[in-house]
Amino acid sequence: STKTYNSITYSWSGFSFGAGGTWGKYQYSYNNSSWVDAGQNTSHTRSSLSPNTSYTLYVRLVDNYGTASAVASVSGTTNKPAVPSKGTVSASSITYNGAKLSWSGFSFGAGATWGKYQYSWDNSNWTDCGQSTNLTFTDKSPNTSYNFYVRLIDNYGQASGSATVSFTTKKPAAPTKGTVSVSTKTYNSITYSWSGFSFGAGGTWGKYQYSYNYSSW
């Protein structure tokens, strides 16, 4: 009649005595084990059960002469635990190509256990990461916004809601300057040459610019 993740309440009715018989008692049994007296009760709650598991109850009516009725039976399956609760996720140590993502505060529903964490970059395609509570990524593009998602999966395959954080990778370090020199001169021209400039990690072309006396570039 009612079920939780670790209990089932069974109810019965419709039994009757043969002519001349009277009380007696009800008796119940699990999986044809020993019979247990239930007096005149018409329900019984069995607790401390495993979640998402089927249990069968057998019931019979015994009259005042010790004669038992035929056995009635019913199977009931305990509920799964409540789904896990989501926690929070944060980003730190943000660089031009990634960040450290950390999460906490997730919890299992009563009766559930591990499980695993999963992460996603699109809240759709998920990657298992076991019981880790932080990951560092270094494969992202500079100066780009990302959404990162984490969820907790219990031992019944049930998922929590997705916790999410948004972060933007940094720009690469500015290029480093090189040197410029005069290579050739005439009475009305100068040829300049430069070398030794380099991009910061994660940077690429780009272009050179030149200016005379710090005028426009």
Side-chain angles (χ1 to χ4, degrees), residues 192 210-217:
Y192 298 91
Y210 64 87
S211 169
Y212 290 104
N213 299 327
Y214 278 113
S215 60
S216 298
W217 286 95

Side-chain angles (χ1 to χ4, degrees), residues 44-211:
H44 170 70
T45 298
R46 187 177 186 189
S47 55
S48 300
L49 304 177
S50 299
N52 195 37
T53 303
S54 180
Y55 295 89
T56 301
L57 180 77
Y58 299 86
V59 179
R60 68 185 182 182
L61 177 59
V62 180
D63 67 16
N64 58 322
Y65 294 99
T67 303
S69 70
V71 175
S73 66
V74 66
S75 294
T77 300
T78 48
N79 297 334
K80 290 182 179 180
V83 299
S85 299
K86 74 175 182 179
T88 58
V89 58
S90 61
S92 62
S93 303
I94 299 172
T95 67
Y96 73 91
N97 67 349
K100 180 179 180 180
L101 287 308
S102 304
W103 51 93
S104 62
F106 290 81
S107 60
F108 296 108
T113 185
W114 290 99
K116 59 193 173 186
Y117 286 113
Q118 293 182 324
Y119 71 87
S120 172
W121 293 100
D122 59 6
N123 205 26
S124 178
N125 297 293
W126 295 93
T127 301
D128 295 344
C129 55
Q131 296 184 27
S132 298
T133 56
N134 66 79
L135 292 170
T136 298
F137 296 90
T138 58
D139 60 348
K140 303 305 169 187
S141 299
N143 195 36
T144 303
S145 294
Y146 291 94
N147 295 318
F148 182 78
Y149 304 86
V150 177
R151 67 183 185 181
L152 176 61
I153 309 294
D154 67 17
N155 57 318
Y156 294 96
Q158 300 180 120
S160 71
S162 302
T164 183
V165 65
S166 298
F167 67 95
T168 300
T169 50
K170 296 180 178 180
K171 292 182 179 180
T176 55
K177 71 177 182 178
T179 58
V180 60
S181 61
V182 174
S183 55
T184 60
K185 297 184 291 182
T186 70
Y187 75 94
N188 67 350
S189 68
I190 301 176
T191 298
Y192 298 91
S193 300
W194 51 87
S195 63
F197 292 79
S198 61
F199 297 107
T204 185
W205 288 100
K207 59 193 174 187
Y208 286 113
Q209 291 181 325
Y210 64 87
S211 169

